[in-house]
C-alpha cells in the first residue's frame, strides 16, 4: 500500500508565486523517504499541503488510500507532523503540550499520559516534563516536537528539517530513534539540508527544485548516476606543486592535501599505484563532499540551466 | 475509535486547555473586572446614586447592577476567545489543532466554551460585588441564566471572529476599545433610554448591547426599556449568524491558512 500518493499537485500563492507546478510522487508504506531540494524549492509547501496547513491550488493527495478531498479526517488521523519552526505554546508545560496533542487526536488522557512517559523518557525529556517549553534549549524543543508528533502513534511521520541547528551528538541520537520507529513500521518522510542525513537514513529520494520534481528514485540508483567523485588525500610529504597523473586530474589544496577527481569507471587501486610510482604515500582519504551532495548539486544546477 | 469519540475528546482537551489558560492568569483575567466593578458600584451606585434617587422605580444601584454585570461578562467573553485564538496564531500552536482530525465546529466549540465560562465566572464575581453594595435579588432566575449564557456565547463568537482575522496585538484591542466599550457605555447600563431625546433613543435601538442589558435587567430587577421577545430574538439571531460565519472562516482557513 502507498502511504502517500501525490498527483499533479499545484500551488500558486496569493502573491502570484508558483510554488508547485504539478508534482507527482508516491511513498510506499514502511519507507524512509527523503524529500530534498534547495531553499524555496517547494518542499515545505508540499508538506504544508499534505498536513492541511496550506491550501492547494489543484491536484490530488491520498494518505493510505484516503483521498484528502473526500476523507480528510480519516486521512489526517494517520499523519504526525514535525514542522520546521517551533510551534508550541511557550507558557505550557512539556507534559501538557504532549497530552493536549494526543487529545486533539482523540487519545484519552490516561492513555496519553502513559504514552507521554514512554516517549519523553525515550528522547530524554522526562525530567523536564513539568518545565514550561520556553525554558527548554533548542535541542530539547526539537525532541519535544518529535514526541508531540508521535503521541497519537501515526502511521506516517513527516519531519520538516528536524535536525536543523541541532548538534551532531543529538542529531545522531535522533537518527537512531527515527530508524527505530521506521523499523517498527512507521513510514517516515524527511526533508533536510543535511544530505549526509538523507544518505544515511533514507532508501528513497525525491529531489524537488523550483516547484518541479527533478529526481524520484531509490538512493542506490541515484548514486549510480554519479559520474565523478572528488577525494581528498592527505600526504606524508609536503608538496609545492600538484603531481602530474596520467589518468586523473588533481589539484593541490595545501602542501599536505591533494584533491583528485575519480571517474566511475576508474579505480582507487590504480590511483594509489600511480601515486606510489611517484613516491607519494597516502596517509588518509575522504570524500570532498558527501556523494549525495555532489549529485544534488549536479541535478539542481542542471535544472536551473534548463530553465 | 470513531469520529464522534475523537471529536468529544478533542473538544474536552481544547476547552480544558483554554479554561486552564485563563484560570492560570487569574490576576489578569478575573481580578480586573472585580476591581473595576467595585469602583463603579462605589462611585456610581453609592456616592452618585444616593443623590439620583429612583430610576424606573428601583434604586440607582439596583438599576445599574445588571448593566455592570453584563459589561464585565461580554468584555471577558470577547477578550478570552479573541486573545486565545490570536495567541495560538502568534505562537504557531494553532497548527496543533489544524493538523488534527477534527472538524472546524469542534475548534469553535472548544474556544467558545472557554469564553462562555470566563464570562460566567467573571459575571458571578461581579454579582458577588453587587450583593455587597445592593442586596442583590433575582426576579426571573432562569431568564437571567439564559441571558448571561447567550450574551457570553455571542461575544465569545465575536471575539473568535476578531482573533481569526487579527494580524497583530493591536487588532485584538481595537474592537474592544473603539467599538465594544462605547457600545456598552451607550447601551443603557447607567440610564434608561426613556430619559433620552427621541433622536438618541432611536439611535440607541441600533445598539445590540442595549438588548442584552435590558433583557438581563428584566431577569434581575424585572424592568426593561424594550420588548423582551425582541431582545431575545436579536440575541439568538446574532448568535446564529456569528456561529455560521465562524464555521465558514474556520473551514476555509481564512486568516490563518496560506
Amino acid at each position: 500500500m502507498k502511504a502517500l500518493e501525490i498527483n499533479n499537485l499545484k500551488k500558486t500563492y496569493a502573491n502570484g508565486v508558483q510554488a508547485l507546478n504539478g508534482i507527482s510522487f508516491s511513498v510506499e508504506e514502511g519507507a524512509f523517504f527523503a524529500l530534498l531540494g534547495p531553499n524555496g524549492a517547494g518542499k515545505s509547501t508540499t508538506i504544508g499541503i499534505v498536513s492541511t496547513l496550506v491550501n492547494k491550488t489543484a491536484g490530488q493527495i491520498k494518505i493510505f488510500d484516503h483521498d484528502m478531498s473526500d476523507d480528510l479526517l480519516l486521512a489526517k488521523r494517520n499523519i504526525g507532523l514535525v514542522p520546521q519552526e517551533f510551534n508550541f505554546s511557550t507558557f505550557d508545560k512539556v507534559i501538557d503540550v504532549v497530552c493536549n496533542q494526543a487529545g486533539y487526536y482523540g487519545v484519552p488522557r490516561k492513555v496519553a499520559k502513559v504514552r507521554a512517559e514512554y516517549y519523553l523518557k525515550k528522547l530524554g525529556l522526562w525530567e523536564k516534563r513539568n518545565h514550561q517549553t520556553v525554558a527548554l534549549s533548542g535541542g530539547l524543543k526539537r525532541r519535544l516536537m518529535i514526541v508531540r508528533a508521535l503521541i497519537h502513534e501515526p502511521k506516517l511521520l513527516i519531519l520538516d528539517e528536524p535536525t536543523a541547528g541541532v548538534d551532531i551528538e543529538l542529531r545522531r541520537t535522533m537518527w537512531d530513534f527515527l530508524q527505530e520507529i521506521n523499523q517498527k513500521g512507521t513510514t517516515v518522510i524527511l526533508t533536510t539540508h543535511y544530505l549526509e542525513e538523507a544518505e544515511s537514513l533514507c532508501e528513497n529520494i525525491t529531489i524537488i527544485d523550483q516547484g518541479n520534481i527533478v529526481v524520484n528514485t531509490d538512493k542506490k540508483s541515484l548514486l549510480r548516476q554519479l559520474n565523478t567523485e572528488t577525494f581528498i588525500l592527505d600526504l606524508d610529504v609536503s608538496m609545492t606543486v600538484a603531481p602530474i597523473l596520467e589518468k586523473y586530474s588533481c589539484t593541490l589544496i595545501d602542501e599536505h592535501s591533494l584533491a583528485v577527481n575519480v571517474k566511475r569507471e576508474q579505480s582507487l587501486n590504480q590511483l594509489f599505484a600511480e601515486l606510489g610510482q611517484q613516491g607519494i604515500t597516502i596517509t588518509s582519504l575522504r570524500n570532498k563532499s558527501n556523494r549525495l551532495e555532489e549529485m544534488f548539486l549536479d541535478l539542481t544546477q542542471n535544472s536551473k540551466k534548463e530553465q | 475509535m470513531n469520529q464522534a469519540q475523537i471529536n468529544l475528546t478533542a473538544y474536552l482537551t481544547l476547552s480544558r486547555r483554554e479554561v486552564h489558560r485563563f484560570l492560570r492568569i487569574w490576576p489578569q483575567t478575573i481580578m480586573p473586572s472585580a476591581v473595576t466593578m467595585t469602583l463603579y458600584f462605589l462611585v456610581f451606585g453609592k456616592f452618585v446614586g444616593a443623590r439620583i434617587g429612583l430610576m424606573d422605580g428601583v434604586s440607582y444601584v439596583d438599576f445599574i447592577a445588571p448593566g455592570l454585570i453584563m459589561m464585565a461578562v461580554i468584555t471577558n467573553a470577547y477578550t478570552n476567545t479573541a486573545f486565545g485564538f490570536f495567541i495560538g496564531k502568534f505562537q504557531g500552536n494553532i497548527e496543533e489543532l489544524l493538523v488534527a482530525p477534527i472538524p472546524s465546529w469542534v475548534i469553535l466549540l472548544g474556544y467558545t466554551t472557554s469564553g462562555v465560562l470566563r464570562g460566567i465566572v467573571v459575571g458571578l464575581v461581579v454579582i458577588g460585588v453587587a450583593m455587597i453594595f445592593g442586596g442583590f435579588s433575582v426576579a426571573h432566575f432562569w431568564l437571567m441564566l439564559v441571558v448571561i449564557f447567550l450574551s457570553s456565547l455571542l461575544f465569545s463568537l465575536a471575539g473568535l471572529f476578531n482573533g481569526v482575522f487579527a494580524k497583530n496585538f493591536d487588532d485584538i484591542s481595537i474592537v474592544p476599545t473603539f467599538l465594544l466599550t462605547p457600545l456598552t457605555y451607550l447601551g443603557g447600563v447607567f440610564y434608561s433610554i426613556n430619559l433620552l431625546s427621541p433622536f438618541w433613543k432611536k439611535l440607541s435601538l441600533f445598539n445590540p448591547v442595549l438588548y442584552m442589558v435590558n433583557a438581563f435587567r428584566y431577569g434581575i430587577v424585572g424592568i426593561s426599556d424594550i420588548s423582551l421577545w425582541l431582545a431575545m430574538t436579536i440575541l439568538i439571531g446574532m448568535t446564529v449568524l456569528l456561529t455560521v460565519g465562524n464555521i465558514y472562516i474556520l473551514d476555509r482557513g481564512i486568516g490563518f491558512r496560506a
Side-chain angles (χ1 to χ4, degrees), chain A residues 24-285:
Chain A
S24 301
F25 66 90
S26 61
V27 179
E28 287 295 330
E29 184 175 7
F32 207 130
F33 183 93
L35 183 61
L36 308 177
N39 287 333
K43 306 182 299 291
S44 292
T45 298
T46 307
I47 285 176
I49 293 173
V50 172
S51 56
T52 71
L53 294 174
V54 176
N55 291 330
K56 67 182 180 187
T57 304
Q60 186 193 42
I61 300 170
K62 283 185 182 177
I63 308 285
F64 292 99
D65 273 348
H66 297 296
D67 191 320
M68 293 194 85
S69 302
D70 304 325
D71 292 331
L72 179 65
L73 300 183
L74 279 174
K76 283 167 95 174
R77 285 188 206 178
N78 295 298
I79 304 174
L81 175 70
V82 180
Q84 202 176 118
E85 306 289 340
F86 300 131
N87 68 342
F88 28 68
S89 168
T90 48
F91 304 112
D92 283 348
K93 289 178 186 169
V94 167
I95 189 80
D96 290 335
V97 167
V98 177
C99 289
N100 285 344
Q101 187 70 12
Y104 303 147
Y105 282 81
V107 180
R109 200 86 180 165
K110 271 187 183 172
V111 179
K113 281 184 175 170
V114 174
R115 285 190 197 170
E117 183 174 350
Y118 171 76
Y119 286 112
L120 289 173
K121 280 182 176 169
K122 193 86 187 161
L123 281 169
L125 275 162
W126 181 243
E127 301 304 317
K128 305 275 183 187
R129 65 190 179 280
N130 289 319
H131 289 214
Q132 285 188 323
T133 60
V134 72
L136 300 182
S137 68
L140 291 175
K141 282 178 182 166
R142 288 267 165 226
R143 286 189 253 178
L144 175 58
M145 302 248 277
I146 294 177
V147 173
R148 186 183 59 177
L150 286 170
I151 196 69
H152 61 284
E153 302 191 332
K155 287 159 74 182
L156 172 62
L157 179 67
I158 302 175
L159 304 110
D160 195 359
E161 298 187 25
T163 52
V166 167
D167 67 53
I168 188 65
E169 190 187 344
L170 176 57
R171 201 182 306 162
R172 288 190 188 280
T173 310
M174 283 163 77
W175 291 0
D176 290 343
F177 180 69
L178 293 174
Q179 276 176 319
E180 185 186 323
I181 60 162
N182 176 245
Q183 278 156 13
K184 285 180 181 167
T186 307
T187 309
V188 181
I189 298 178
L190 174 78
T191 82
T192 180
H193 278 297
Y194 303 112
L195 297 180
E196 178 200 0
E197 186 166 85
E199 187 174 345
S200 63
L201 292 175
C202 306
E203 308 103 37
N204 299 89
I205 288 169
T206 286
I207 298 178
I208 183 170
D209 191 26
Q210 299 182 345
N212 298 300
I213 299 285
V214 182
V215 159
N216 180 17
T217 185
D218 63 283
K219 182 173 65 187
K220 283 178 186 163
S221 311
L222 182 63
L223 291 174
R224 271 200 296 272
Q225 292 174 33
L226 189 62
N227 284 321
T228 307
E229 279 189 77
T230 306
F231 292 94
I232 306 293
L233 311 180
D234 293 322
L235 315 172
D236 70 336
V237 290
S238 70
M239 299 182 83
T240 48
V241 287
I244 296 166
L245 301 171
E246 194 185 335
K247 291 177 181 162
Y248 304 88
S249 67
C250 67
T251 49
L252 199 63
I253 296 173
D254 58 51
E255 56 183 15
H256 286 286
S257 313
L258 198 60
V260 183
N261 295 321
V262 180
K263 290 179 183 158
R264 188 150 47 115
E265 64 273 12
Q266 293 177 320
S267 75
L268 288 173
N269 291 355
Q270 212 176 350
L271 171 65
F272 292 147
E274 268 198 52
L275 289 166
Q277 279 166 13
Q278 297 193 29
I280 301 169
T281 305
I282 310 302
T283 56
S284 65
L285 162 91

Side-chain angles (χ1 to χ4, degrees), chain B residues 50-71:
Chain B
R51 289 171 175 271
I52 291 174
L54 298 180
M55 178 79 70
D56 280 355
V58 294
S59 72
Y60 191 62
V61 70
D62 285 344
F63 182 85
I64 63 170
L68 292 179
I69 295 163
M70 191 51 71
M71 196 197 278

Side-chain angles (χ1 to χ4, degrees), chain A residues 11 13 51-55 73 76-77 87-92 100-101 103-107 109 148, chain B residues 1-3 6 9-10 13-14 16-17 24 91-93 95-103 252 257-258:
Chain A
K11 175 65 187 177
Y13 284 100
S51 56
T52 71
L53 294 174
V54 176
N55 291 330
L73 300 183
K76 283 167 95 174
R77 285 188 206 178
N87 68 342
F88 28 68
S89 168
T90 48
F91 304 112
D92 283 348
N100 285 344
Q101 187 70 12
Y104 303 147
Y105 282 81
V107 180
R109 200 86 180 165
R148 186 183 59 177
Chain B
M1 195 183 307
N2 63 37
Q3 190 59 44
I6 293 177
T9 310
T13 305
L14 175 58
R16 180 182 182 275
R17 187 194 80 182
R24 188 176 55 202
Q91 296 192 121
N93 61 308
E95 291 179 0
E96 294 173 344
L97 292 166
L98 301 181
V99 299
I102 46 172
R252 277 152 191 77
R257 273 197 177 106

Side-chain angles (χ1 to χ4, degrees), chain B residues 204-222:
Chain B
S204 296
L205 295 175
F206 289 99
N207 181 355
V209 178
L210 176 80
Y211 298 90
M212 280 164 242
V213 168
N214 274 280
F216 194 58
R217 184 173 287 138
Y218 186 81
I220 292 179
V221 288

